[in-house]
Amino acid sequence: DAGVIQSPRHEVTEMGQEVTLRCKPISGHDYLFWYRQTMMRGLELLIYFNNNVPIDDSGMPEDRFSAKMPNASFSTLKIQPSEPRDSAVYFCASTEPVGNTIYFGEGSWLTVV
Amino acid sequence: DAKTTQPNSMESNEEEPVHLPCNHSTISGTDYIHWYRQLPSQGPEYVIHGLTSNVNNRMASLAIAEDRKSSTLILHRATLRDAAVYYCILYSGGYQKVTFGIGTKLQVIP
């Protein structure tokens, strides 16, 4: 199994540009999570999906952030427009329907200048 | 969400045992105690979990207090590769919002 796959691994963009982060969960997992990690706040949950439906987006910082899951094998996290304070590592994770383990991707390292 | 409290950082000498504490006084009866660790430049990875009884696996041991309000992750012989951030979380299954927080940064001294 290839695990949770995220792209891009690294992105540097200018303030005001649109950023799209992508995630492919492990096949058969029906929960998908997007996390953001910074030094100050640690690992924060932004949003999670169950069977492609957003369940809780209370962690999404503001309207500039949006997430979609058009099918069971793909999700996107979009930031538009991006700001320097959005610089962080963004992790996607997935879990089995009744499993106990959350599997994380390797993260997307975003720098907004 | 039920919350956990961990020290921000700990140090250990190589080859020595390490006891990483976690307090979770508001734990509910259905919450499992999970531990994850995050190596530098990687995503968190699962270490161990338990409900009431102590648990052992190839990576670590988990000691759970009788009242379940605290737990301890035990690394029996710390190696340099164990230097990571360790997260203690409460998790009842895929339907629950899971938060990780800051965790404990473990430094292993050669």
Side-chain angles (χ1 to χ4, degrees):
Chain A
D1 197 328
V4 177
I5 300 173
Q6 292 187 245
S7 65
R9 287 297 314 278
H10 299 271
E11 177 149 351
V12 180
T13 190
E14 291 186 346
M15 183 174 62
Q17 296 297 307
E18 177 178 291
V19 173
T20 299
L21 308 178
R22 299 172 177 80
C23 175
K24 177 180 168 54
I26 294 173
S27 177
H29 287 191
D30 62 355
Y31 285 90
L32 183 140
F33 305 85
W34 281 101
Y35 286 87
R36 178 174 68 177
Q37 186 170 43
T38 60
M39 290 289 291
M40 292 298 295
R41 301 173 68 93
L43 198 57
E44 304 175 275
L45 178 66
L46 299 178
I47 185 172
Y48 79 94
F49 295 83
N50 176 223
N51 291 323
N52 314 335
V53 176
I55 302 300
D56 188 332
D57 65 355
S58 60
M60 295 285 264
E62 48 196 275
D63 292 345
R64 297 185 298 106
F65 285 69
S66 62
K68 295 182 179 179
M69 193 165 185
N71 57 63
S73 59
F74 184 66
S75 177
T76 59
L77 178 67
K78 188 172 294 188
I79 309 172
Q80 166 63 23
S82 59
E83 297 182 2
R85 60 192 169 120
D86 301 331
S87 298
V89 185
Y90 292 82
F91 288 102
C92 177
S94 69
T95 187
E96 301 168 288
V98 291
N100 285 313
T101 300
I102 303 171
Y103 296 87
F104 283 80
E106 294 188 322
S108 291
W109 298 69
L110 174 65
T111 302
V112 183
V113 298
Chain B
D1 299 338
K3 294 190 181 296
T4 62
T5 304
Q6 300 175 252
N8 287 339
S9 63
M10 291 185 64
E11 281 186 0
S12 173
N13 294 318
E14 196 176 9
E15 304 296 322
E16 295 288 320
V18 183
H19 291 235
L20 298 167
C22 182
N23 289 317
H24 29 78
S25 59
T26 59
I27 190 171
S28 72
T30 57
D31 285 332
Y32 283 79
I33 302 157
H34 285 244
W35 284 81
Y36 284 73
R37 73 176 185 181
Q38 185 175 19
L39 301 171
S41 302
Q42 295 187 25
E45 62 176 353
Y46 168 82
V47 176
I48 199 168
H49 77 279
L51 183 63
T52 56
S53 303
N54 295 343
V55 183
N56 300 296
N57 66 20
R58 63 175 180 81
M59 292 180 71
S61 296
L62 176 60
I64 301 173
E66 193 169 336
D67 64 5
R68 300 208 327 125
K69 293 185 177 181
S70 66
S71 61
T72 303
L73 179 70
I74 303 167
L75 307 178
H76 295 286
R77 289 175 67 235
T79 70
L80 297 179
R81 288 174 296 179
D82 291 323
V85 177
Y86 287 80
Y87 298 95
C88 167
I89 65 170
L90 302 180
Y91 185 41
S92 297
Y95 58 86
Q96 187 182 49
K97 182 176 174 179
V98 181
T99 55
F100 280 73
I102 301 291
T104 297
K105 185 174 184 178
L106 175 65
Q107 183 179 0
V108 180
I109 302 168

